[in-house]
Amino acid sequence: MDDRGLRLDGVCAGYPARRGRAPRRVLDGLEATAAPGELTVLIGPNGTGKSTLLRTMAGLQPALDGRVLIDGVAVEAIPAAELARRLAVVLTERDLPALLTARELAGLGRHPHTGFTGRLSDSDREIVTWALEAVHAAHLADRPVTELSDGERQRVLVARALAQEPAAILLDEPTAFLDVTSRVALLGLLRRLARERDLAVVVSTHDLELALRVADRIWLLASGGLLQTGTPEELTLAGVIGAAFDGDELSFDPASGVFALRTGNGGRVRVTADGIHGPLLERALSRAGWRTCRSGDDTFTWSAGSDDEAVELAVRHAGDGYVAAFDGDVVEFATLPELTAWSRRTADTLVETSPALLPAAPAAVSGAAADVSTVGGYFALEIDQVEDGWRPLADLFTDPGVLAERITAVAGRLGTAERRVAASILFQGIAARLWSPPLGAVIAHDLIVDLDPRRVHWQAVTGGPLPLRAAGLDGWQIRDPARIAEHLHRTVVTELLEPLAAAVQGVVKIAPGLLWGNAASALAGTVRALARVRPELTGAAAALGRELLAMPPLRGTGELAEPAPGHPFFVRRSCCLYYRLPGGGKCGDCALIDPDARRDQWARAVRESQGA
């Protein structure tokens, strides 16, 4: 067994009997070792006995039981002069001799070696100079102690301890009066000296977060006098740090090694940001009352909130601003203070009302999009990086030239000079593309995909469904089914189809009723496609379709009938003008079809779907 360093052997620390009073045992049965070459940091809540233990280790008060050993020899068995050469003590000293210079104060550390005269030899002075240089205080040597800052004074006191040339140094709260920079510098200095001089260094401090970052070994004194030792990582994993220090307002976060505010009214938040923005967002949202839990931290992205965990709020750093998703709304903020103020108000609303929609994890949105894409081309939505040649969906609403170009291309493909017909067919095709992915995700996964027109991109093709791609999209897990139709209507109709209809009418004169009939027909076609490929989803799809058709501006455009169970069909009340194409005829939803002929069509479709 290596006897070097400082060792506690069954130590009981406290206060001896006085004037008829029984001894008071503060700490009992302590076993621990501070090894040479290591920085050992003593931590613990107030009142647990840290100073009492250090004074006992220094021999300033006797142990009530057990032994304190230095290099295998009990402290009480070492003569005072010899102990002063082997063990240095730095206490929290505010009042120092006013007339001493820094060099003279450091020189006091040589007195255990100078004998009765107390005079320093040339060799002693060389050691004092070395000690000042070791703590980066040589430039302070000739300055009066009274002119030194707290940080400078602590460095000189450490130099005084080094000048003793001890085997071990004990320091009681040396960082107590220092600013953050000075605290970090001093503990870093002590760790370096422990390594370079092979010293056993024991420091008590209340700066827990700093201690966990710089200490080689932690001695944790918990309430009740229990001493637990280990590396910072060992004690963190064992949960003893949080158990000792968690309070009503702060709790220890083992992943970051720092204390976080306990939350108020808010729920859970998922944060995604690059670099420093992630931790800053976490702290700001914690103050606002939100709870975060970290799921990963790699070179590129910091994320808090696990991907498979239900959260009430999702926040991401985007460009020069921030985007927050809460209860079906996506809100943008230019600055972090604006986001923080909003998130505080939002957290307060959770006291009385739970959100009906929860922000879905990116993986859940991507998975739902991939799954419903298998239903058919109109349901396809790629979640992938957007490359050159793809344009934001918003261009179709905001750039009349782009929309006019698409209408002309459709007219050419259909072989008609009727731009109203081409505009009608283009609108219905785009409406089918915009209905299909979100409706499919809702029915199959209870998840609403938010087709943000700035993040969804399209690519021009000569025929077939319009390709859609996005690098990533927001989505919503449904907590209250009653909100589904309302939010899906807003996502598709209010935010996409209404701007598209207005843009079409700005390019071609066309009746709005015709366009909304097309939108309703596209919705019904989406329901039929789901019923055909995923028959188990038919009932839910048809019910949601009817809810949406009852909402303006789709109300009155037609009826989603079901002449046979599991076979929905749409009867529209306005014409799409398809009959005006050369050889166009009438579509299955056409308002011009005779009712008897329609019933025959339905019956034939039902028989064919059943294999008859």
Side-chain angles (χ1 to χ4, degrees):
M1 178 178 177
D2 189 352
D3 287 333
R4 294 191 313 145
L6 279 168
R7 185 160 65 89
L8 308 181
D9 181 15
V11 168
C12 173
Y15 302 93
R18 293 181 182 176
R19 297 180 181 178
R21 293 183 181 179
R24 185 161 72 89
R25 303 166 79 93
V26 177
L27 304 166
D28 207 352
L30 303 186
E31 300 281 347
T33 299
E38 292 186 349
L39 174 64
T40 299
V41 179
L42 175 63
I43 60 174
N46 285 331
T48 52
K50 297 188 298 297
S51 294
T52 300
L53 175 57
L54 283 181
R55 290 179 61 84
T56 302
M57 293 174 66
L60 299 177
Q61 65 186 64
L64 299 184
D65 199 359
R67 299 179 303 166
V68 177
L69 305 171
I70 180 168
D71 293 339
V73 181
V75 167
E76 67 270 16
I78 304 175
E82 175 65 18
L83 182 61
R85 290 190 288 271
R86 300 175 69 172
L87 179 64
V89 180
V90 179
L91 301 177
T92 304
E93 302 175 46
R94 298 289 287 173
D95 297 322
L96 295 171
L99 301 179
L100 295 184
T101 65
R103 184 188 301 278
E104 290 168 338
L105 177 59
L108 295 179
R110 293 305 299 164
H111 281 200
H113 301 270
T114 59
F116 179 75
T117 64
R119 293 182 179 178
L120 301 185
S121 66
D122 290 343
S123 175
D124 291 325
R125 282 188 283 273
E126 287 179 5
I127 292 173
V128 171
T129 299
W130 162 83
L132 287 169
E133 290 174 348
V135 299
H136 303 303
H139 63 292
L140 306 173
D142 297 322
R143 287 177 55 185
V145 171
T146 53
E147 295 181 7
L148 301 181
S149 69
D150 287 335
E152 290 170 339
R153 188 180 296 118
Q154 286 299 92
R155 284 180 175 269
V156 175
L157 289 174
V158 174
R160 183 185 68 181
L162 285 178
Q164 292 178 229
E165 296 186 295
I169 303 178
L170 300 177
L171 302 99
D172 188 14
E173 292 288 348
T175 63
F177 304 107
L178 305 186
D179 58 31
V180 173
T181 302
S182 299
R183 291 201 302 269
V184 174
L186 181 59
L187 284 187
L189 167 67
L190 292 172
R191 185 177 62 178
R192 175 175 63 81
L193 292 173
R195 283 159 171 65
E196 291 180 353
R197 305 297 295 177
D198 200 31
L199 296 171
V201 179
V202 180
V203 183
S204 73
T205 182
H206 282 101
D207 197 334
L208 174 63
E209 294 174 1
L210 179 57
L212 294 176
R213 291 189 180 278
V214 303
D216 297 303
R217 199 159 189 84
I218 295 288
W219 288 4
L220 170 61
L221 267 177
S223 299
L226 177 65
L227 178 63
Q228 301 183 76
T229 67
T231 66
E233 294 73 28
E234 287 174 326
L235 296 187
T236 299
L237 287 172
V240 298
I241 303 293
F245 291 97
D246 281 359
D248 293 336
E249 298 297 328
L250 292 173
S251 63
F252 180 69
D253 177 10
S256 63
V258 300
F259 281 94
L261 283 170
R262 286 194 182 275
T263 56
N265 301 327
R268 286 192 171 275
V269 58
R270 180 186 303 114
V271 178
T272 304
D274 293 335
I276 190 62
H277 296 284
L280 292 178
L281 274 169
E282 181 187 28
R283 290 205 292 271
L285 292 168
S286 292
R287 286 199 308 275
W290 293 94
R291 300 191 304 275
T292 61
C293 61
R294 188 169 292 109
S295 63
D297 187 357
D298 56 35
T299 305
F300 305 102
T301 301
W302 182 98
S303 176
S306 108
D307 279 350
D308 57 358
E309 180 180 19
V311 298
E312 285 78 20
L313 174 66
V315 176
R316 70 174 184 272
H317 177 249
D320 295 330
Y322 305 88
V323 179
F326 177 77
D327 200 15
D329 289 319
V330 178
V331 189
E332 297 183 359
F333 301 92
T335 67
L336 186 53
E338 292 173 343
L339 167 64
T340 304
W342 172 87
S343 68
R344 188 182 304 116
R345 295 192 299 270
T346 303
D348 291 340
T349 67
L350 295 180
V351 176
E352 298 180 357
T353 306
S354 296
L357 301 171
L358 303 180
V365 177
S366 299
D371 177 56
V372 300
S373 292
T374 63
V375 174
Y378 279 92
F379 290 79
L381 173 60
E382 294 182 63
I383 305 296
D384 201 352
Q385 293 302 314
V386 178
E387 302 161 345
D388 292 341
W390 293 81
R391 305 190 62 162
L393 194 60
D395 285 0
L396 291 173
F397 315 151
T398 59
D399 189 336
V402 172
L403 189 58
E405 181 183 324
R406 298 308 305 154
I407 292 173
T408 299
V410 171
R413 190 171 71 250
L414 297 176
T416 180
E418 288 272 7
R419 287 179 62 78
R420 282 193 311 152
V421 175
S424 171
I425 300 304
L426 174 66
F427 183 85
Q428 182 159 345
I430 295 177
R433 286 297 282 122
L434 300 181
W435 277 122
S436 297
L439 187 67
V442 164
I443 299 302
H445 295 276
D446 288 330
L447 186 148
I448 297 175
V449 177
D450 194 348
L451 297 182
D452 185 335
R454 296 165 301 177
R455 301 173 68 189
V456 177
H457 291 69
W458 61 278
Q459 192 175 51
V461 292
T462 55
L466 192 70
L468 297 180
R469 175 182 288 188
L473 291 173
D474 294 310
W476 307 95
Q477 292 289 351
I478 299 162
R479 176 181 280 178
D480 181 3
R483 285 281 303 276
I484 294 176
E486 168 202 335
H487 191 79
L488 193 60
H489 182 276
R490 187 177 72 178
T491 297
V492 179
V493 176
T494 304
E495 297 178 359
L496 298 172
L497 293 182
E498 285 184 347
L500 179 62
V504 169
Q505 290 174 282
V507 175
V508 177
K509 293 187 179 302
I510 192 168
L514 186 154
L515 294 179
W516 292 116
N518 286 5
S521 182
L523 169 60
T526 300
V527 172
R528 285 200 302 271
L530 279 171
R532 183 177 64 255
V533 179
R534 304 271 182 93
E536 73 279 6
L537 304 178
T538 301
L544 181 56
R546 291 190 183 95
E547 278 194 78
L548 292 165
L549 288 171
M551 302 171 73
L554 302 179
R555 183 188 300 150
T557 56
E559 177 188 359
L560 189 60
E562 198 167 359
H567 294 83
F569 294 94
F570 186 63
V571 182
R572 66 181 293 163
R573 296 192 175 95
S574 65
C575 184
C576 68
L577 306 181
Y578 192 74
Y579 75 97
R580 300 186 65 168
L581 293 175
K586 302 178 181 64
C587 69
D589 299 338
C590 187
L592 304 178
I593 295 178
D594 177 77
D596 291 334
R598 185 186 305 283
R599 282 191 289 272
D600 290 341
Q601 286 181 349
W602 285 353
R604 185 168 61 252
V606 170
R607 288 195 302 274
E608 290 174 353
S609 68
Q610 295 173 341

